[in-house]
Amino acid sequence: MRMVDLIEKKRDGLELTKEEIGFVIKGYTEGSIPDYQMSAFAMAVYFKNMTDEERAALTLAMVESGDQINLSGIKGIKVDKHSTGGVGDTTTLVLAPLVASVGVPVAKMSGRGLGHTGGTIDKLESVRGFSVEMSSNKFIELVNNNKVAVVGQSGNLTPADKKLYALRDVTATVNSIPLIASSIMSKKIASGADAIVLDVKTGAGAFMKELRQAEELAKAMVDIGNNLGRNTIAIISDMSQPLGFAIGNALEVKEAIETLKGNGPQDLLELCIALGSHMVVLAGQSNTLDEAKQLLENAIKSGKALETFKTFLSAQGGDSSVVDDVSKLPTAKYKIDVLAKQSGYISNIIADKIGVAAMILGAGRATKDSNIDLAVGIELRKKIGDYVEEGEALVTLHSNKENIGDCINRVYESYTTSTEKINNPTLIYKEIR
Ligand code: URA
Ligand code: CA
């Protein structure tokens, strides 16, 4: 086989075989296919697309390019959740203990964040002592005992995706549905998931700004999962404004604790129950979504979900007393309210702009090597549809810096008010299965 022939074949819109796609990915990972040929190939895919079979073959080839995590030592069906990313997305912190508390094994492999806020690991590290360093045997033991554990990414997972993603980034080929879908799904499958629940975000704060695009991506990922024998479903949810109120690491842990206590923001709770219900059904712990929803709501009411969160934190060295006393979480030196300049109904909050404001305070990393400040972030005091009086707080900034004019300006640029009454945005647009 010659790479040039395969580029030509894709350029002309023909379908590649599983063997041909395997040849491309193996050659590129090993270095026998150079970047310039792979760039041309990615561009051909960008323009000519891929069939369902090609997408599944590409995903599998990327899974097989590196290590695959073996979770067979964990009893039960391992369901993983993946979000395409948004601003202040606290769902994992709530979902992991919530679904574990009703018997779904959660073996979560997570990373550090880049951008608005930290990743799940950064957030959890705001609990003193919490650690994600452990052997794979220990990880499996913790999931079997407590139904939930979070471990740092280790090993050489999907090296083909790492290399290809970096190449796509500099060749204007990131925004291709088959390439995005295979990239995300290869990582989930290599991490050992038996079944997958996807939260595909849409709106200003999301990767896929338009509902139509989000739907197309969701469908592509669901098809790949199902073609490769992983039961997969997707929810398309709103990211036109940040989820919940908190954006920032310790602030989001506090928000997750409140949600597990039943006092969390309505949108965060609703999304967690929707995603969680699918996880419970896919794991075989309920026959219907209604029954699953009931189980999860009861787990919050009875305190079982909160108890599971405590057990999970202690098992990984964390000080679980933060659950009863959230003042033990890192707190920022200054709390600064940003006040509304006029009265009216909040009609828009540009999520990605607010996200950048949080990053400037130090809640997220601008580059891979930036330091993160776990205590800082933004607490939204008003969301879309709320009425605000002139002089009332739009947000509260939690800062360790005094000089934050840039951040305040971005908050003002994010918020729009209207004299007309505004409805709350739809939270869940669709389910794709
Ligand atoms: N996220 C990924 O992991 N891969 C992509 O290609 C795009 C977003
Ligand atoms: Ca949040």
Side-chain angles (χ1 to χ4, degrees), residues 93-102 146 148 253-264 295-314 319-326:
L93 293 179
V94 177
L95 268 176
L98 177 58
V99 301
S101 76
V102 303
N146 306 328
V148 50
V253 171
K254 185 173 156 200
E255 180 167 74
I257 292 169
E258 293 304 328
T259 306
L260 290 166
K261 286 179 177 169
N263 309 322
L295 272 180
L296 296 175
E297 284 171 354
N298 288 342
I300 291 179
K301 273 200 208 90
S302 69
K304 209 163 81 176
L306 193 68
E307 210 46 52
T308 303
F309 191 49
K310 276 192 192 173
T311 308
F312 154 68
L313 292 177
S314 317
D319 173 10
S320 65
S321 70
V322 296
V323 169
D324 301 310
D325 182 2
V326 291

Side-chain angles (χ1 to χ4, degrees), residues 87-91 123 242-248 251-252 255 265 268:
V87 181
D89 186 2
T90 314
T91 53
K123 292 175 193 179
L243 190 66
F245 301 115
I247 307 163
L251 293 173
E252 289 186 42
E255 180 167 74
L268 176 60

Side-chain angles (χ1 to χ4, degrees), residues 165 168 180 183-184 187 207:
Y165 198 9
R168 288 164 54 209
I180 300 168
S183 165
I184 293 173
K187 285 176 278 210
F207 191 57

Side-chain angles (χ1 to χ4, degrees), residues 333-359:
K333 209 159 16 158
Y334 308 105
K335 280 191 198 172
I336 303 135
D337 287 343
V338 179
L339 308 178
K341 291 175 180 168
Q342 71 219 30
S343 305
Y345 295 92
I346 307 297
S347 56
N348 196 18
I349 305 175
I350 305 174
D352 43 359
K353 207 172 259 259
I354 285 272
V356 173
M359 193 175 72

Side-chain angles (χ1 to χ4, degrees), residues 82 84 161 165 168 173-174 176 179-185 187 207:
H82 177 80
T84 58
D161 173 62
Y165 198 9
R168 288 164 54 209
T173 50
V174 167
S176 151
L179 296 181
I180 300 168
S182 57
S183 165
I184 293 173
M185 292 302 286
K187 285 176 278 210
F207 191 57

